[in-house]
Amino acid sequence: MTIVSLFCEIDDFLSVYEKYKAAPQLPASQRPEKRGRSRTLHPSEVMTILILFHQSRYQTLKDYYEKHVRHYLRWAFPNLVSYNRFVELQQEVLEPLSVYLYTRFGTCDGISFVDSTPIPVCHNRRILIHKVFAEQASLSKTLSVGSTGSNFI
């Protein structure tokens, strides 16, 4: 999926989501205050950048934003803000981003997991009193649970 098609899909979703969110609410008694400058980065742009970050190989959002978005994706996002402002803006899109990602889930047809890194349970001196995975795990072994399907389309 290209950046443009991802952005268009998110923007279409966001317009429908905002209409749905505003419909059952009571009208505002006062006009909301407008303080400071108007926003230059649209919520759909923030959501697009966050989704692209999770598809990339960068470890931190700051590195991705500063090193990749500011240099290589300037053509797609001409009105970029500073990283600190971007962190503030991503708080506003948490709810619509969660709903968008939830609508893109596939059906789960079994146990699914993200990471199968072994986690040490306890020190060897405490083996006899540890009873959580007594039937499944054995000495010097990790509990391995397989996945029968994928959660994502």
Side-chain angles (χ1 to χ4, degrees):
M1 179 178 276
T2 64
I3 293 175
V4 176
S5 61
L6 177 65
F7 173 77
C8 290
E9 187 176 320
I10 291 173
D11 197 45
D12 293 342
F13 167 80
L14 205 55
S15 63
V16 171
Y17 178 77
E18 287 173 351
K19 288 178 187 175
Y20 174 76
K21 185 92 170 153
Q25 295 179 357
L26 296 172
S29 60
Q30 299 177 10
R31 293 182 61 190
E33 287 185 35
K34 288 187 86 176
R35 301 176 66 192
R37 295 179 5 197
S38 61
R39 65 182 305 141
T40 58
L41 204 58
H42 195 269
S44 56
E45 292 176 314
V46 176
M47 289 172 60
T48 304
I49 291 173
L50 289 173
I51 290 173
L52 290 173
F53 162 66
H54 286 289
Q55 292 176 347
S56 72
R57 293 183 179 260
Y58 281 88
Q59 297 292 322
T60 62
L61 179 63
K62 185 171 186 174
D63 283 340
Y64 178 74
Y65 190 79
E66 295 290 337
K67 296 178 182 176
H68 189 77
V69 175
R70 284 191 169 272
H71 294 290
Y72 301 111
L73 299 179
R74 180 66 99 178
W75 62 272
F77 308 103
N79 298 322
L80 286 176
V81 295
S82 67
Y83 175 72
N84 291 336
R85 178 68 179 142
F86 182 78
V87 170
E88 293 172 5
L89 292 176
Q90 73 179 350
Q91 295 174 4
E92 297 174 12
V93 299
L94 177 65
E95 183 181 347
L97 180 64
S98 300
V99 172
Y100 172 77
L101 292 175
Y102 184 76
T103 61
R104 299 306 182 257
F105 281 159
T107 57
C108 182
D109 50 343
I111 299 172
S112 301
F113 58 90
V114 175
D115 190 7
S116 62
T117 305
I119 299 172
V121 177
C122 63
H123 195 271
N124 286 340
R125 287 186 225 162
R126 297 191 184 117
I127 289 175
L128 298 176
I129 58 174
H130 184 68
K131 305 292 183 193
V132 176
F133 293 113
E135 297 87 35
Q136 291 91 0
S138 60
L139 188 61
S140 301
K141 302 288 182 184
T142 60
L143 176 65
S144 60
V145 179
S147 175
T148 61
S150 174
N151 270 352
F152 301 102
I153 293 176

